[in-house]
Amino acid sequence: MKKILLFLVLLGLYNGYSQSHSHSGAKPMTYPDIEGYNTLKTDLHMHTVFSDGNVWPTIRVQEALRENLDAISLTEHLEYQPHKEDIPHPDRNRSFDLALAEAKEHDLLIVRGSEITRSAPVGHNNAIFISDANKLLIERPENTFAEANKQGAFVFWNHPAWHRQRPQGNPVWSDFQIERAKKGELHGIEVINTTDYSEESLALALEHNLTIMGTSDIHGLVDWSYTEKGNHRPITLVFAKDKSLEGLKEALFAGRTVAVYNSLLVGRPEYLKPLLKASIRVNSASYIEKTQVLKVEIENISSSDLLFENEMPYTFYSSSPVFEVAAGQTKTLQIKTLEPLKNIDLQLKALGAYTAPKEHPIIEWKLSTD
Ligand SMILES: [Zn+2]
Ligand SMILES: [Zn+2]
């Protein structure tokens, strides 16, 4: 009997704990698919003790599973090995191997990658989908890029706006990048790294046709850096033909991405607009009795809080023209259509989303009223 009581108390304590701390655990992320593509949630830039991170590779896999990611890459610095006295790292593929073994029972893709680490103007660059990290240990960065590309790598420029390397906090497109881009050896660029979104990096992505990336660049724990502050880690949504390494790689080379950090979404309009459109589900649209005020209930099925501004010729009843639909929540709009309409285009500008510096997409949903 005592044992049962103790068990119940423990159970009660456990329940009480989990309820009163409902915001402290990592929540799985969810984003809808868009037409023709699976939406893969990826974090393709992170570190472990095998470079300057503070955790074993298995932890990165477990963190990714807690947030429901589809793919990760452990991109250890090739040239920066501060733990090498304690953890010698003669085989630079070791971190990948350990993560791969941990992910074996799970539906998580592990991409082999490395961070090519130099001072400006080369800066830091991730080469992912490589076949052997050891072969990238080459002195001249030009040759490292050439070898990574020989291995079929997708290469992206990391934190080009990093103030430690660029004191103005802005990227500089130098001769090194000009040369790599000309040779087709540079394919992507981070516009979001950790908590930094760089409009200037987005401008470079659009000007030089580079894939738009967002990454956590996590060194410590995702929980401590993001989750317990009420955030998700930055990710890249990749629109792939299927959930496989080949599908992911093809989509990255084709530039089908949106970088996401909480309520901030950055991407080319051809992918960002369908993503936002699919993220809002219209649950109902009907007139308030004896009025020409249309009540529309919308639901945000994504993990980003979405901020919108009314772009219709009609104004709202009882609401600011700027409003938020929190992740997973519903919102009822009351639209003054002046006369009863059978069909209406709901048009909203997504204020937290960018298709270019200072440019927000306008999303349209075709509604039929009851
Ligand atoms: Zn770096
Ligand atoms: Zn890094």
Side-chain angles (χ1 to χ4, degrees):
M1 184 64 185
K2 255 188 181 170
K3 265 188 185 164
I4 293 172
L5 265 179
L6 183 64
F7 176 69
L8 286 175
V9 167
L10 284 173
L11 197 71
L13 275 176
Y14 176 74
N15 278 338
Y17 183 84
S18 61
Q19 273 160 21
S20 59
H21 292 79
S22 59
H23 297 287
S24 63
K27 280 195 226 137
M29 278 192 261
T30 166
Y31 288 90
D33 291 337
I34 64 171
E35 199 176 338
Y37 300 111
N38 293 326
T39 300
L40 303 184
K41 303 170 292 293
T42 74
D43 185 1
L44 302 170
H45 185 173
M46 50 178 79
H47 298 275
T48 78
V49 289
F50 285 90
S51 57
D52 58 343
N54 298 313
V55 305
W56 196 252
T58 51
I59 296 295
R60 292 287 175 247
V61 172
Q62 292 163 20
E63 287 174 328
L65 293 171
R66 279 158 62 93
E67 278 193 305
N68 194 29
L69 297 189
D70 297 295
I72 60 168
S73 186
L74 307 189
T75 48
E76 312 297 354
H77 294 285
L78 285 163
E79 299 85 357
Y80 182 51
Q81 296 276 309
H83 302 310
K84 70 166 181 277
E85 297 297 314
D86 296 307
I87 303 170
H89 192 186
D91 176 5
R92 299 312 177 82
N93 297 300
R94 192 66 192 135
S95 176
F96 167 81
D97 292 341
L98 290 165
L100 192 64
E102 178 72 11
K104 212 172 83 186
E105 307 291 314
H106 301 283
D107 194 20
L108 176 68
L109 302 171
I110 311 290
V111 182
R112 196 194 300 267
S114 281
E115 183 164 3
I116 303 164
T117 313
R118 299 291 197 285
S119 47
V122 176
H124 296 188
N125 297 265
N126 273 354
I128 60 172
F129 294 101
I130 53 174
S131 53
D132 185 356
N134 297 317
K135 290 194 179 139
L136 298 181
L137 282 164
I138 304 168
E139 202 182 329
R140 284 173 55 84
E142 294 83 353
N143 297 340
T144 316
F145 268 70
E147 171 60 28
N149 276 272
K150 203 176 110 190
Q151 293 186 15
F154 174 83
V155 184
F156 59 97
W157 191 11
N158 300 340
H159 46 74
W162 190 24
H163 59 8
R164 294 273 173 79
Q165 291 196 330
R166 292 296 179 192
Q168 291 184 321
N170 278 336
V172 177
W173 187 252
S174 73
D175 286 347
F176 183 81
Q177 282 80 31
I178 291 169
E179 197 60 28
R180 301 286 81 66
K182 208 196 293 171
K183 290 191 162 178
E185 292 177 348
L186 182 65
H187 316 110
I189 184 169
E190 287 181 346
V191 303
I192 300 175
N193 174 284
T194 59
T195 57
D196 181 51
Y197 161 53
S198 162
E199 292 189 41
E200 296 77 10
S201 299
L202 175 60
L204 286 179
L206 300 175
E207 191 182 336
H208 301 286
N209 198 26
L210 299 169
T211 299
I212 292 167
M213 307 291 292
T215 71
S216 72
D217 200 356
I218 186 74
H219 289 71
L221 290 170
V222 169
D223 252 10
W224 291 359
S225 298
Y226 296 105
T227 314
E228 74 174 18
K229 294 173 181 150
N231 299 317
H232 280 296
R233 73 173 92 195
I235 55 169
T236 306
L237 296 178
V238 184
F239 306 101
K241 287 175 187 160
D242 58 66
K243 182 174 174 177
S244 67
L245 286 172
E246 298 71 36
L248 176 61
K249 186 175 176 181
E250 186 273 335
L252 285 169
F253 272 107
R256 295 196 301 269
T257 62
V258 167
V260 179
Y261 182 44
N262 296 317
S263 56
L264 171 68
L265 299 105
V266 185
R268 292 183 159 77
E270 54 269 43
Y271 309 113
L272 185 49
K273 287 172 84 171
L275 176 74
L276 287 163
K277 189 165 176 170
S279 295
I280 291 291
R281 187 185 283 157
V282 179
N283 289 336
S284 61
S286 58
Y287 280 96
I288 299 174
E289 218 179 322
K290 295 185 184 144
T291 75
Q292 286 78 54
V293 179
L294 181 68
K295 265 174 88 167
V296 177
E297 189 190 84
I298 57 176
E299 182 178 354
N300 176 2
I301 61 166
S302 81
S303 290
S304 293
D305 298 333
L306 297 176
L307 190 65
F308 289 113
E309 182 176 22
N310 180 15
E311 280 290 316
M312 292 178 286
Y314 319 112
T315 57
F316 288 160
Y317 189 82
S318 262
S319 167
S320 160
V322 174
F323 63 94
E324 186 191 79
V325 201
Q329 301 296 306
T330 60
K331 161 100 186 165
T332 300
L333 303 172
Q334 302 187 46
I335 306 165
K336 299 189 285 182
T337 63
L338 305 181
E339 53 180 335
L341 300 174
K342 283 248 175 301
N343 300 293
I344 173 177
D345 290 342
L346 176 65
Q347 285 175 315
L348 303 173
K349 186 188 273 185
L351 298 179
Y354 291 93
T355 52
K358 309 200 194 315
E359 233 169 80
H360 304 296
I362 294 171
I363 318 297
E364 206 174 290
W365 295 262
K366 297 214 174 295
L367 313 185
S368 317
T369 63
D370 296 337

